[in-house]
């Protein structure tokens, strides 16, 4: 059965390939009722998404974001829901993260050049447009130049954590990430936990830092993994979340929005927590 909720979606504001308007129309056509746009280090897609959403009164768009946190030897993605994203300080912090992304992406392009992979930085910038630049934009440039067939093929050898062209970027600790999100009324949720090298230990650390939910109904996970995550979420008293993590990058295995998602009750639970977080001033 198609899902009614999808809490993990990307747009051209970061490394997704559909504009916020196109994405909103797509999710509405899939019959989704509650969605969150959760771009990497930016909320720049939300204003357009809300405008596009006026066409679909039955569709609720929850303001979200995806941040990266530093856990030694691993890459932790943290989602935040119901963020009061207009907060000026929050936006300044996000802008700093996005500047860091530009430097890092440039270094990755240089590293690729030293490995004989010739892609142009200007082309990567063009592909990213106004969006928060990320590795998928580099991967798309590599596909264009024939270095790989699909964007995801660029990761194991070059762009992934252990890839030859990987460059780290400055990341916050899990506690700092939680603080940044809750500071603007956002509910912190761990993204795609089954990709973690040491999942349970990391969940324990994050829970300690104030984590409230974790993705369970993640479209790329099979039934067995989802089952294990349901149990883990119960054990750590974390709200089970999830969605498609749709980017529209053209990878052959990419699930569409609405492929899998949490129950409607999850959104209620997230909203209840959001209400308990201190309201913030706009400055
Ligand atoms: P960045 O924000 O630059 O760190 O890039 C993160 C994005 O790269 C993720 O949201 C995915 O879209 C993509 N990505 C990361 N790791 C992989 C991988 N192993 N295979 C395919 N895509 C990946
Ligand atoms: Zn992404
Ligand atoms: Fe992610
Ligand atoms: Fe994502």
């Amino acid at each position: 059965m198609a899902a009614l909720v999808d809490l993990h979606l990307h747009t051209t504001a970061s490394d997704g390939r559909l504009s916020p308007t196109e994405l909103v129309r797509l999710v509405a056509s899939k019959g989704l009722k509650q969605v969150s746009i959760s771009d990497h280090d930016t909320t720049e897609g939300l204003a357009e998404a809300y405008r596009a959403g006026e066409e679909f009164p039955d569709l609720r768009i929850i303001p979200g974001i995806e941040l990266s946190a530093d856990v030694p030897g691993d890459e932790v993605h943290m989602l935040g829901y119901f963020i009061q994203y207009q907060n000026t300080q929050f936006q300044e912090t996000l802008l700093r993260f996005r500047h860091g992304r530009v430097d890092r992406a440039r270094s990755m392009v240089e590293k690729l050049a030293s490995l004989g992979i010739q892609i142009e930085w200007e082309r990567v910038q063009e592909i990213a447009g106004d969006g928060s630049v990320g590795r998928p934009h580099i991967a798309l440039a590599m596909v264009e130049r024939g270095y790989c067939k699909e964007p995801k093929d660029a990761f194991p050898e070059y762009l992934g954590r252990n890839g030859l062209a990987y460059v780290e970027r400055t990341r916050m600790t899990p506690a700092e990430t939680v603080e940044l999100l809750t500071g603007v009324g956002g509910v912190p949720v761990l993204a795609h936990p089954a990709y973690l090298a040491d999942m349970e230990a990391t969940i324990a650390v994050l829970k300690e830092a104030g984590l409230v939910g974790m993705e369970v109904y993640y479209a790329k996970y099979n039934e067995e993994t989802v089952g294990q995550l349901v149990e883990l979420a119960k054990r750590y008293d974390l709200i089970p979340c999830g969605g498609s993590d749709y980017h529209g990058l053209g990878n052959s295995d990419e699930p569409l929005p609405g492929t899998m998602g949490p129950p409607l009750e999850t959104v209620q639970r997230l909203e209840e927590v959001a209400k308990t977080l201190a309201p913030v001033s706009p400055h």
Side-chain angles (χ1 to χ4, degrees), residues 18-275:
L18 294 191
S19 69
T21 302
E22 290 166 329
L23 181 74
V24 165
R25 290 183 180 156
L26 177 64
V27 299
S29 77
K30 295 281 175 195
L32 283 156
K33 299 295 178 213
Q34 311 235 24
V35 300
S36 180
I37 292 179
S38 53
D39 275 309
H40 301 279
D41 296 341
T42 183
T43 60
E44 294 290 312
L46 287 171
E48 184 186 321
Y50 282 116
R51 276 196 301 279
E54 287 169 13
E55 261 184 78
F56 308 103
D58 292 344
L59 176 71
R60 181 185 194 196
I61 302 166
I62 296 155
I65 195 153
E66 185 170 12
L67 303 173
S68 308
D70 189 17
V71 164
D74 218 330
E75 197 179 324
V76 169
H77 287 184
M78 191 95 83
L79 297 155
Y81 297 120
F82 294 105
I83 44 172
Q84 294 168 23
Y85 61 96
Q86 272 131 342
N87 180 277
T88 313
Q89 250 183 27
F90 182 65
Q91 287 300 337
E92 280 167 7
T93 304
L94 295 183
L95 199 58
R96 269 207 319 278
F97 291 165
R98 298 204 291 278
H99 286 153
R101 282 177 166 276
V102 174
D103 298 339
R104 180 250 205 161
R106 273 187 99 119
S107 307
M108 288 185 71
V109 169
E110 281 167 20
K111 254 186 154 172
L112 284 168
S114 74
L115 296 162
I117 308 271
Q118 302 294 340
I119 57 164
E120 278 151 27
W121 167 241
E122 287 69 27
R123 183 61 194 137
V124 174
Q125 278 184 304
E126 255 170 42
I127 294 172
D130 294 334
S132 172
V133 68
R135 286 176 285 165
H137 299 124
I138 301 176
L140 286 166
M142 288 172 68
V143 171
E144 273 183 3
R145 280 298 182 91
Y147 289 111
C148 43
K149 244 176 89 189
E150 298 184 16
K152 67 172 173 145
D153 299 338
F155 283 81
E157 198 174 346
Y158 297 106
L159 308 181
R161 266 200 75 74
N162 301 313
L164 296 169
Y166 185 74
V167 176
E168 197 61 90
R169 58 195 190 95
T170 342
R171 294 179 296 172
M172 297 168 290
T173 64
E176 286 165 343
T177 313
V178 167
E179 199 180 326
L180 179 63
L181 292 172
T182 54
V184 288
V187 186
V189 169
L190 172 62
H192 37 70
Y195 293 148
L196 295 168
D198 196 346
M199 174 167 67
E200 195 161 345
T202 304
I203 289 174
V205 168
L206 296 174
K207 173 77 188 180
E208 191 67 26
L211 190 71
V212 173
M214 64 181 252
E215 284 195 312
V216 165
Y217 305 99
Y218 186 74
K220 278 194 194 151
Y221 293 160
N222 62 27
E223 221 175 294
E224 190 190 344
T225 304
V226 171
Q228 286 166 356
L229 295 175
V230 167
E231 289 311 309
L232 211 52
K234 272 193 201 142
R235 189 135 46 88
Y236 283 88
D237 191 24
L238 294 166
I239 301 173
C241 300
S244 60
D245 202 359
Y246 181 71
H247 285 73
L249 287 167
N251 286 318
S252 50
D253 60 351
E254 189 173 19
L256 284 165
T259 306
M260 204 193 279
L264 282 166
E265 188 209 20
T266 284
V267 180
Q268 279 171 14
R269 290 177 65 187
L270 291 171
E271 200 170 8
E272 274 161 27
V273 175
K275 281 182 193 150

